[in-house]
Amino acid sequence: MGKVTTACLLTCAAIGVAGGIVLAVGWWLSVALFATVPFASVAIAGLWVMPAVIALRLLQRPFAGLLVGLISGLVLAPFYTASAILTTLFWSFFPELPFLVTLYRRWSTWLHYAGALAMGVSYPLLAAQSFDLWAMAPGLVVGFIALCAASCVAGTFLAIVIADRLRAAGVARLARRRPAEVPGVAKAG
């Protein structure tokens, strides 16, 4: 895993702050939808996986997704509650999970989608009581879970596109280097 560079930490901070700003808007929208149309509130669930997926795709470094989730939560906490930190860490865990299972040795695109599907199916089941999921007809339960999964997959797709465009623009060039690879920095030894 090696040392983490300052450029990597600053990139995570920038993604985390931007993610926190986007999630602040998403949070208000989610609350409004949950109060009026709870079924539709999971249609925007994909917003919560985007910051972690962008970081993992762009940096390909262990725990980058969780670090971005922590920073996003810290951005949100003053405006909501401290539980925003736990919420963003929870939503960042699932995108990180497939890479953790492979011990961060594989960075295949399909692993991002595996994390999205795991999140999309797990979230409605873990939050079933708040959505009163088991009071719904079986067909609606399946539709609810499918909508959440589709939203997480769509959010992951968009995050991959964003990360790939950032990489093409050279944003992660220094952040992905290991400390010994940075020009002008002598290798300790």
Side-chain angles (χ1 to χ4, degrees):
M1 290 187 198
K3 297 178 182 177
V4 179
T5 64
T6 303
C8 182
L9 291 173
L10 289 172
T11 303
C12 285
I15 295 168
V17 170
I21 292 167
V22 169
L23 291 179
V25 174
W27 206 304
W28 283 106
L29 185 57
S30 178
V31 167
L33 286 171
F34 185 78
T36 56
V37 200
F39 194 92
S41 68
V42 294
I44 62 167
L47 285 176
W48 275 262
V49 299
M50 287 182 64
V53 173
I54 291 170
L56 288 165
R57 177 73 174 195
L58 185 64
L59 301 172
Q60 295 182 349
R61 296 295 301 242
F63 308 111
L66 288 172
L67 179 57
V68 164
L70 174 64
I71 294 167
S72 293
L74 290 170
V75 169
L76 291 169
F79 306 103
Y80 299 97
T81 65
S83 67
I85 298 167
L86 294 176
T87 300
T88 55
L89 283 172
F90 171 78
W91 282 91
S92 297
F93 173 74
F94 282 89
E96 188 95 32
L97 186 60
F99 301 102
L100 177 63
V101 168
T102 65
L103 300 175
Y104 300 98
R105 292 186 180 150
R106 294 185 51 130
W107 293 97
S108 303
T109 301
W110 72 270
L111 290 171
H112 291 290
Y113 290 108
L117 284 174
M119 184 71 217
V121 171
S122 298
Y123 174 65
L125 298 176
L126 294 171
Q129 185 175 357
S130 65
F131 289 110
D132 203 15
L133 196 62
W134 307 126
M136 295 180 191
L140 286 177
V141 171
V142 170
F144 190 81
I145 293 170
L147 180 62
C148 187
S151 177
C152 289
V153 167
T156 296
F157 173 78
L158 185 58
I160 288 171
V161 169
I162 291 168
D164 288 350
R165 290 198 177 164
L166 288 171
R167 182 181 297 129
V171 169
R173 188 171 40 85
L174 285 176
R176 288 187 60 191
R177 289 184 177 175
R178 305 299 184 247
E181 298 175 25
V182 177
V185 175
K187 186 175 181 179

